[in-house]
Amino acid sequence: MSGQWLSSLKHMFKLDPNRPITEEQVKQLCESGTDAILIGGTLGITYDDTAQLLRWVRKYSATVLQEVSDLKAIVPGFDYYFIPFVVNAQNPDWILNIHQKALKMYGELINWNQVFVEGYVVLNQQSSVAKLTESRTDLDLEDVLAYARIVDQMLKLPILYIEYSGAYGNPDWLKEIKNIVQQSKIFYGGGIDSIEKSVEMSQYADTIIIGNLIYEDFELAMKTVKNINEV
Ligand code: 1GP
């Protein structure tokens, strides 16, 4: 079931509980035809803000996922939970320390059928996530392919997330990554601020994630859904 469901994801909107959005906009995103609404962010993520967004999204039939970044903000009631595992982090918390703490607290309560681990490769040095996790971003293509192989072939994680948060990545690199990945689904997020970029990255990534554009140009963000489904 899980692999099949992941394969159905071509497009997702990522809502940051720490950024302003209206209930009407959430409604439109839910009814846009996107494959899922992902709720998560890096800084200032609280239980209350996350729960508020979930309440708004839950009024519609959209699939809703929480990407967990703070143990204090895990909210029950999502369809699925995505757990980031940042493979190029140099701060060990983001490799397995936080996960160990989480499982010490909640290990017995977790329904593992609802959980997917994302092998993150963080590539934009300027992003909050790179700074927080102290990710090693001075990488050439061969370095990135090695990280992709760790996620895909060594750890066999369901998701390889190529994260450029706030900047547009190199599509040629995505093409090379697609060529070597065998079983992980490739998520791409970062700097998609036009229809052309959304279509371009969809050629190589199984799933594209639209974040900032929701807050910068809502109407344009909405248009990325239709165009992806025509790729
Ligand atoms: C962020 O990958 C997502 O985690 C989306 O990136 O905000 O740059 O669209 P943007």
Side-chain angles (χ1 to χ4, degrees):
M1 185 290 288
S2 60
Q4 225 175 355
W5 171 73
L6 274 182
S7 300
S8 73
L9 299 176
K10 291 180 77 178
H11 179 286
M12 289 197 286
F13 284 122
K14 190 172 197 171
L15 294 182
D16 185 335
N18 195 31
R19 295 181 81 174
I21 192 160
T22 66
E23 189 172 355
E24 172 58 27
Q25 286 176 320
V26 171
K27 172 180 190 280
Q28 288 184 40
L29 295 172
C30 290
E31 294 180 336
S32 65
T34 187
D35 298 307
I37 306 286
L38 181 57
I39 298 183
T42 304
L43 301 175
I45 306 304
T46 68
Y47 185 98
D48 288 347
D49 292 342
T50 306
Q52 167 74 292
L53 275 180
L54 176 62
R55 272 195 297 278
W56 285 352
V57 173
R58 271 287 176 237
K59 294 182 182 171
Y60 310 96
S61 60
T63 301
V64 59
L65 324 164
Q66 182 174 21
E67 187 171 62
V68 177
S69 61
D70 188 324
L71 298 187
K72 295 189 290 301
I74 301 175
V75 177
F78 281 84
D79 292 311
Y80 296 100
Y81 294 85
F82 282 0
I83 312 291
F85 173 16
V86 182
V87 291
N88 62 330
Q90 305 300 296
N91 177 338
D93 278 358
W94 294 93
I95 307 176
L96 286 177
N97 285 354
I98 288 178
H99 310 72
Q100 190 264 351
K101 277 186 206 145
L103 296 195
K104 196 172 165 191
M105 285 164 68
Y106 302 117
E108 287 185 8
L109 303 173
I110 294 172
N111 173 0
W112 290 101
N113 292 324
Q114 282 185 294
V115 173
F116 293 88
V117 177
E118 305 166 297
Y120 255 84
V121 185
V122 174
L123 293 171
N124 173 15
Q125 185 58 54
Q126 303 308 317
S127 62
S128 303
V129 61
K131 289 176 187 158
L132 182 72
T133 60
E134 298 166 32
S135 285
R136 184 182 153 220
T137 57
D138 58 332
L139 305 173
D140 62 23
L141 175 60
E142 292 304 321
D143 291 319
V144 173
L145 292 179
Y147 278 123
R149 286 193 165 100
I150 288 175
V151 171
D152 174 57
Q153 286 144 43
M154 203 170 98
L155 300 176
K156 297 192 172 15
L157 298 180
I159 297 162
L160 166 66
Y161 195 136
I162 304 296
E163 172 67 294
Y164 275 90
S165 183
Y168 191 59
N170 182 340
D172 293 336
W173 283 23
L174 263 289
K175 188 175 182 181
E176 297 292 334
I177 292 166
K178 181 184 167 74
N179 282 340
I180 60 120
V181 165
Q182 295 175 0
Q183 58 87 36
S184 300
K185 294 296 164 201
I186 302 172
F187 284 17
Y188 172 81
I192 295 181
D193 58 6
S194 69
I195 304 291
E196 294 71 26
K197 288 176 185 167
S198 68
V199 171
E200 183 171 54
M201 280 304 183
S202 294
Q203 295 174 74
Y204 311 122
D206 296 296
T207 309
I208 61 157
I209 293 103
I210 310 286
N212 277 323
L213 193 59
I214 300 166
Y215 303 92
E216 285 165 5
D217 188 338
F218 186 80
E219 296 309 321
L220 187 54
M222 291 285 292
K223 285 187 190 146
T224 59
V225 181
K226 180 170 176 291
N227 284 275
I228 289 309
N229 287 325
E230 287 170 0
V231 172

